[in-house]
Amino acid sequence: MDSQTTEYYRTNALACTRRYEAADMTAIHALLRSLARPGCRVLEIGGGSGRDSAFMASLGCRVTYTDGCEDMVLAASERHASLREMSRVAAFPLQPGDRLLGDRFDVVLCLAVIM
């Protein structure tokens, strides 16, 4: 993630979190529910407010929530306590040797990145 984007999210983490949480995700969450199986491994890249990772965790998925901005990770963990143990700061592209490169996932989400 470039420095200008990182600075924006660092400065606006709480406002972005509130805005993302207010989005109507009914249709997207119905789609995610069709992909989820209890125990499946989910990686969320650029997870923003943590909304979708928390949703997948509520379905019994084993989630790894990532965001490139530490302030967003903290805001997401404060809003969704279930993410505290499954969150990490990770800017993409990952650096060689990052442990995520060796992990396998059943579902990879990057909804906030697309938004």
Side-chain angles (χ1 to χ4, degrees):
M1 185 161 45
D2 64 81
S3 61
Q4 186 177 6
T5 302
T6 301
E7 182 61 21
Y8 173 82
Y9 282 110
R10 189 190 67 72
T11 304
N12 297 287
L14 294 178
C16 288
T17 297
R18 283 192 299 272
R19 188 170 61 246
Y20 297 164
E21 291 290 322
D24 179 9
M25 298 302 292
T26 305
I28 296 294
H29 283 179
L31 173 64
L32 295 179
R33 186 178 286 110
S34 74
L35 298 173
R37 302 289 178 266
C40 75
R41 296 199 62 208
V42 175
L43 169 64
E44 183 166 23
I45 298 170
S49 70
R51 171 197 64 216
D52 304 317
S53 284
F55 175 74
M56 296 298 277
S58 77
L59 299 176
C61 299
R62 297 180 307 157
V63 177
T64 299
Y65 158 90
T66 69
D67 197 275
C69 177
E70 183 176 6
D71 295 270
M72 289 301 291
V73 173
L74 292 171
S77 296
E78 287 174 13
R79 183 169 287 267
H80 301 286
S82 64
L83 297 182
R84 289 188 182 131
E85 298 300 316
M86 54 184 82
S87 299
R88 70 173 277 211
V89 177
F92 287 79
L94 295 170
Q95 297 299 311
D98 190 292
R99 70 172 174 79
L100 285 176
L101 293 172
D103 285 348
R104 292 181 181 249
F105 297 92
D106 302 299
V107 177
V108 177
L109 302 178
C110 35
L111 297 171
V113 172
I114 294 169
M115 290 169 55

